[in-house]
Amino acid sequence: MLQLIAGAVNDRTARGIAAAVSRLVHTGELPAGTRLPTVRSVAQALGISPTTVSEAWRSLASAGAIQTRGRSGTFVLTPTRPRQKMRFSRLVANPSTLPHDFSTGVPDHDLLPDLAPALRRIGDTRLTTSYLEDPVLPRLEVVLRERWPFPPQQLTVVDGALDALDRVVGAAVRFGAHVVVENPTFPPLLDLLESVGAVPVPVSLDSSGVSPASLAAALERAPTAVFLQPRAQNPTGVSMTPERAADLAALLAAHESVTVVEDDHVGDIATAPAVSLGVHLPDRVVHVRSFSKSHGPDLRLAAVGGPATTVAAIADRRLLGPGWSSRVLQAVLLDLLTDPATVRVVAAARREYARRRDLLLSALAAHGVEATAADGINMWIAVRDQQVALVTLAAHGIGAAPGAPFEVQPVGGDHIRVTVGLVRDGFDDLAAILAEAAGARHRASGHRTRPLHRAAR
């Protein structure tokens, strides 16, 4: 056992030791239940300080790979993580108990296009004749390439944006790797990175996207990848400008080993134009375009385009699992993207979401509440105390998502996220309740605790 571990270590830093042991666990050479050698014996075998080995063991334990059981020793664990410990699961506590649940981050289903006409139009659904066919319908790939913000070397289709992120993380990120992420950011991404033992390196945002100074500092940590949301960033709603994309690309140009992953999760309901660092770094940017928010969450479709090495690795690995995303659903998506009536429906939804954002932002400003929602369906609201705000809203029958799961490290004050895309009317009443929950001074006339109109949801 000791010789196995010592032989696998070619980097005698804590990070290198943790990565080597992680590889042995994942290959099965150190199966679940195996008792590891003592810290002192590993240190002696490697000729290093026990402190370095202890640091490696702590990293493995925090990733759920091993567990120390006091005097009984340290053991390899089955790689699982309880659902209740995930950041993702902490966003929605008891949605069924609240009549107005604005915590979900889902689109308004009444603004989605009707799938029935598309299902009728696609007709013959015998679209698969071999398990080894290309994963993307040829006509759909043509349409996707026309819409892509830069010419991708290769495209594939997977089962939604989160599936895409999972597969990109699996292909590009290894245990102990530093990965740059926005702060705040999408909680499931942080869950994914933690599941593979990666170390998130937070970068700050301003109204144009990721701060160049913050990215420059993060690049000093020698990251493997940078994960960005170019439009309607979740949770803040910030969209990256073309000028900011050029600035970030210039910084990244000197770091040739860094892969850039862009999660364009709102797609066609974004008011901001499609922007990508792939315009400047086409051989290093993996761009993900989701159609869940604009065309339907149950389509479970997202496209991944970028360097052939990464995209081909994703497509090839899927052959050993699901194989491909349903070609029937791909045919439906193709119809929706090219049908003029559907294009008009999505455009109307885009305008309606913008109207809802503007109305609630204006109403909150009148109450002295600080909030951002420049694009998309979410709003990031500053509050004095997160828990007090959530309890206050729940007393009014309103659900919101806590801000803490979105944060790699505190961003300066507490926040909550409200899915403003689900608010149809009653904006002034909701703003008054949100102001009460936020602890802001009430500036407008009227009752602060007026019931929220039932038409809002």
Side-chain angles (χ1 to χ4, degrees):
M1 178 73 62
L2 185 57
Q3 291 179 343
L4 175 65
I5 293 174
V9 175
N10 50 30
D11 174 3
R12 298 190 178 191
T13 64
R15 179 179 172 185
I17 296 167
V21 173
S22 175
R23 287 194 296 269
L24 293 173
V25 171
H26 285 290
T27 60
E29 294 173 86
L30 287 177
T34 300
R35 181 176 177 175
L36 296 176
T38 64
V39 167
R40 187 172 298 278
S41 64
V42 174
Q44 289 175 345
L46 295 174
I48 59 175
S49 166
T51 302
T52 302
V53 180
S54 293
E55 184 180 344
W57 260 223
R58 283 194 296 271
S59 296
L60 289 163
S62 66
I66 66 173
Q67 181 184 55
T68 298
R69 302 173 185 169
R71 294 183 178 179
S72 298
T74 301
F75 296 82
V76 176
L77 292 177
T78 302
T80 59
R81 189 176 181 208
R83 177 186 176 97
Q84 64 269 23
K85 290 188 177 181
M86 292 184 181
R87 291 170 178 260
F88 199 4
S89 67
R90 305 205 311 263
L91 297 185
V92 182
N94 296 295
S96 62
T97 65
L98 299 173
H100 308 291
D101 184 16
F102 303 136
S103 69
T104 60
V106 300
D108 185 340
H109 284 270
D110 289 344
L111 296 180
L112 296 171
D114 184 1
L115 301 186
L119 287 167
R120 287 193 295 267
R121 284 193 295 265
I122 64 173
D124 187 354
T125 57
R126 291 175 292 180
L127 299 170
T128 299
T129 59
S130 168
Y131 290 122
L132 296 177
E133 288 182 359
D134 290 338
V136 188
L137 288 179
R139 287 179 56 216
L140 177 59
E141 180 167 354
V142 170
V143 171
L144 291 174
R145 285 184 174 276
E146 291 172 349
R147 299 160 60 91
W148 220 248
F150 63 95
Q153 293 178 7
Q154 188 165 333
L155 271 170
T156 193
V157 170
V158 297
D159 299 337
L162 191 51
D163 183 39
L165 293 178
D166 182 23
R167 295 183 182 282
V168 173
V169 167
V173 179
R174 294 293 177 262
F175 189 95
H178 287 88
V179 177
V180 175
V181 297
E182 299 157 330
N183 190 38
T185 194
F186 187 42
L189 172 60
L190 299 178
D191 287 331
L192 283 173
L193 295 176
E194 183 174 339
S195 73
V196 299
V199 180
V201 179
V203 290
S204 60
L205 297 158
D206 59 28
S207 61
S208 298
V210 166
S211 159
S214 185
L215 177 61
L219 289 173
E220 295 179 2
R221 303 280 297 275
T224 297
V226 174
F227 283 77
L228 306 173
Q229 299 175 71
R231 293 196 288 182
Q233 197 266 353
N234 185 0
T236 65
V238 167
S239 291
M240 183 167 58
T241 64
E243 295 77 16
R244 180 59 53 84
D247 291 341
L248 300 182
L251 289 172
L252 286 158
H255 299 265
E256 296 180 358
S257 62
V258 179
T259 298
V260 179
V261 184
E262 297 175 336
D263 177 17
D264 188 4
H265 62 101
V266 295
D268 288 3
I269 60 168
T271 55
V275 172
S276 173
L277 272 68
V279 172
H280 310 280
L281 304 170
D283 58 338
R284 291 170 49 198
V285 175
V286 180
H287 189 82
V288 177
R289 176 71 62 86
S290 173
F291 299 95
S292 294
K293 301 290 193 302
S294 56
H295 294 81
D298 281 334
L299 284 176
R300 307 308 302 139
L301 292 177
V304 183
T309 51
T310 302
V311 178
I314 292 171
D316 290 347
R317 179 63 184 86
R318 292 190 88 216
L319 284 175
L320 304 179
W324 64 88
S325 296
S326 167
R327 293 190 177 94
V328 173
L329 295 180
Q330 290 188 49
V332 171
L333 177 61
L334 173 62
D335 181 274
L336 296 175
L337 293 176
T338 55
D339 173 54
T342 301
V343 172
R344 289 192 294 271
V345 168
V346 174
R350 181 167 56 247
R351 293 190 295 271
E352 176 60 15
Y353 285 131
R355 184 188 76 88
R356 296 176 184 185
R357 292 194 308 270
D358 291 345
L359 286 173
L360 188 55
L361 280 172
S362 296
L364 286 172
H367 288 273
V369 177
E370 179 185 344
T372 61
D375 207 344
I377 64 173
N378 295 307
M379 181 174 289
W380 187 238
I381 302 176
V383 298
R384 287 185 183 175
D385 185 282
Q386 171 188 281
Q387 288 307 115
V388 170
L390 294 175
V391 170
T392 302
L393 291 174
H396 290 277
I398 299 169
F406 295 86
E407 300 175 3
V408 181
Q409 61 186 29
V411 296
D414 284 6
H415 293 79
I416 60 173
R417 188 197 70 177
V418 171
T419 304
V420 64
L422 297 177
V423 183
R424 297 177 175 178
D425 54 21
F427 296 94
D428 291 335
D429 292 344
L430 177 58
I433 296 171
L434 287 169
E436 177 188 356
R441 177 174 296 178
H442 186 68
R443 296 179 180 176
S445 61
H447 298 291
R448 294 173 62 182
T449 58
R450 194 172 2 176
L452 185 64
H453 194 282
R454 281 286 175 182
R457 59 167 218 175

